[in-house]
Amino acid sequence: KYLLGQSEIFARLKAGKKRLEGTEEEEKKEGEYKSKHSPSRKKKGGRKTPTEPDAPEGEGVEDDDDGEGGQESHVFLTKQPSCIKFGTLKPYQLEGLNWMIHLAEKGLNGILADEMGLGKTLQSISILAYHYEFMKVQGPHLVCVPKSTLSNWMNELNRWCPSLRAIRFHGHKEEREALADEYFTNEAAAHDGRRPTKQILNEKTGEMEDDNSDNPRAWDVCVTTYEVANTEKKVLSRFAWKYLVIDEAHRLKNETSMFSTTVRSFNTAYRLLLTGTPLQNNLHELWALLNFLLPDIFSSSEQFDEWFNLEIDGK
């Protein structure tokens, strides 16, 4: 309440902002999906509505009201996406997933700041899985990580969500050029990321699978390092990325660094920062992260300092 009283622009954090990156057709399809798969709204004064009886197994979608008077409705998952295969999300991880879903519905970016060992990697994979399964969005997504965690990210993506096809964009100059020629063609870059709805029967497993034969892009998630992102900025700028996920995001604490400048130039629908240390002893570093996420709100570091200057005169 104190911050809302300091500046009217903070009200946008409560109300959200209209998504600008989606086309009218995409928004219409998302609206049709929610209308079809979300149960009817709860009665005034209630908390939640039960999961729709005929919802696909593992879907667990609830329609949860938000705001006064029950005027706003948003998706709330009671079960993890079925394309998460390796294990089960812990309750706090599922809560984190719902928080990220709610941010995306409002067109906001966010910082996932769980402590080390609590599964930030898995939670960020789960939001990509949610968009794949429920929104029918197949990417493209970009994940920028330290070199030391590159292999772990590839392993975790393949283990937890094999439905998302991940590629490792790294190596010497010749290797990167070969990968760019193979995966980053102009035709693939123009693909809108919408997942095909046509399915075919897998004769080996007996299960229905998506038919991606008409999809010119052979991957969904590109995992790379800070250094390669800087070096291959021109190549990566060909894409309109759905999600930009940055691991160890306190690397962005200096807004004038080369990496910060590089990722700010990318065309992204959503930005998600992962860090266990979002705030240490420097308020300006926190502003740098928030400015990267919501530059129109946190535009001035001086004004940000004034908002949080709680020192009392004479003491």
Side-chain angles (χ1 to χ4, degrees), residues 205-216:
T205 63
E207 298 180 353
M208 298 298 292
E209 296 181 351
D210 294 322
D211 180 9
N212 292 312
S213 58
D214 296 330
N215 185 349

Side-chain angles (χ1 to χ4, degrees), residues 13-31:
L13 289 175
K14 180 179 179 182
K17 59 183 179 180
K18 183 178 180 181
R19 287 178 56 187
L20 301 178
E21 73 285 346
T23 63
E24 292 182 1
E25 182 179 356
E26 287 177 341
E27 292 176 355
K28 181 180 178 182
K29 288 181 178 180
E30 290 185 10

